[in-house]
Amino acid sequence: MEFAIRGLAGAQVDDCDHTLTYVTHEQTTRLTTITPPPGVHPQPGSSVDVLAFPEVPRWHLDAFPSYRQYGLIDRMGNVEELIRKMAQHFAERND
């Protein structure tokens, strides 16, 4: 992942050395450590933005070609929408 930092000039950014990370509810997943230089503290307006999002290489290789054009954020939004529709479908059938 790439990060943009505002308001912490000279901050050291150390990305985690993950080649494969499983994210679960049982543990915290550290993406990066941001260390400001001595004497520099976050100010109002300081921020960290994610510029690039991770991709899942195996998924990308195995995906149907027309679906590969969509990035991870679009795919996750699509999954969330499908899950919402399925939950709604089952809730309506349960009544």
Side-chain angles (χ1 to χ4, degrees):
M1 301 186 85
E2 295 177 34
F3 297 91
I5 301 172
R6 284 185 285 288
L8 288 173
Q12 175 70 38
V13 179
D14 295 312
D15 295 332
C16 290
D17 188 20
H18 295 300
T19 54
L20 179 62
T21 300
Y22 292 99
V23 179
T24 73
H25 67 282
E26 298 172 352
Q27 66 185 29
T28 300
T29 301
R30 184 173 61 87
L31 300 176
T32 191
T33 300
I34 300 169
T35 307
V40 175
H41 303 287
Q43 302 295 320
S46 296
S47 65
V48 177
D49 293 325
V50 179
L51 301 176
F53 294 90
E55 186 50 85
V56 182
R58 181 66 188 205
W59 179 92
H60 201 262
L61 290 173
D62 293 343
F64 196 79
S66 64
Y67 203 53
R68 282 187 210 139
Q69 67 181 325
Y70 298 102
L72 182 63
I73 293 207
D74 292 325
R75 295 193 317 266
M76 292 298 100
N78 184 251
V79 168
E80 289 174 7
E81 179 66 15
L82 289 173
I83 290 171
R84 186 191 65 74
K85 286 181 179 180
M86 284 182 1
Q88 181 179 7
H89 171 80
F90 287 115
E92 290 170 356
R93 301 299 178 271
N94 195 29
D95 291 339

